[in-house]
């Protein structure tokens, strides 16, 4: 789904639309597709080094949470 198609679905492009504008006007399936497209676009923009940095930070946070929840 292109950004242009998404804009048309949300009523921001083209003729008059009787449904409310914005994300709330989309069906759950359309919202899912729009979210997946945005996530793919973001992940494609990341360099491998940045992706590794994000993964390391997430792993460190998971281990920190486990250490906090474990009694001493």
């Amino acid at each position: 789904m292109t950004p242009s198609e998404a804009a048309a679905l949300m009523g921001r492009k083209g003729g008059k639309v009787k449904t409310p504008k914005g994300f709330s006007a989309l069906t759950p399936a359309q919202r899912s597709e729009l979210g997946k497209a945005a996530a793919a676009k973001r992940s494609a923009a990341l360099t491998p080094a940045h992706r590794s940095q994000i993964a390391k930070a997430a792993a460190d946070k998971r281990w920190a949470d486990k250490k906090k929840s474990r009694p001493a």
Side-chain angles (χ1 to χ4, degrees), residues 8-71:
L9 282 173
M10 290 189 287
R12 297 178 184 269
K13 187 175 183 176
K16 290 189 177 187
V17 177
K18 303 278 189 228
T19 58
K21 292 185 179 184
F23 198 68
S24 62
L26 299 176
T27 65
Q30 290 169 330
R31 289 180 193 169
S32 177
E33 287 303 313
L34 192 60
K36 288 176 187 174
K41 187 177 177 183
R42 281 192 306 272
S43 70
L46 293 177
T47 64
H50 193 207
R51 193 175 289 122
S52 295
Q53 182 182 7
I54 292 169
K56 183 181 181 317
D60 289 345
K61 177 144 179 41
R62 278 195 304 274
W63 281 104
D65 289 345
K66 286 184 182 190
K67 287 179 183 175
K68 276 187 206 174
S69 65
R70 189 183 305 161

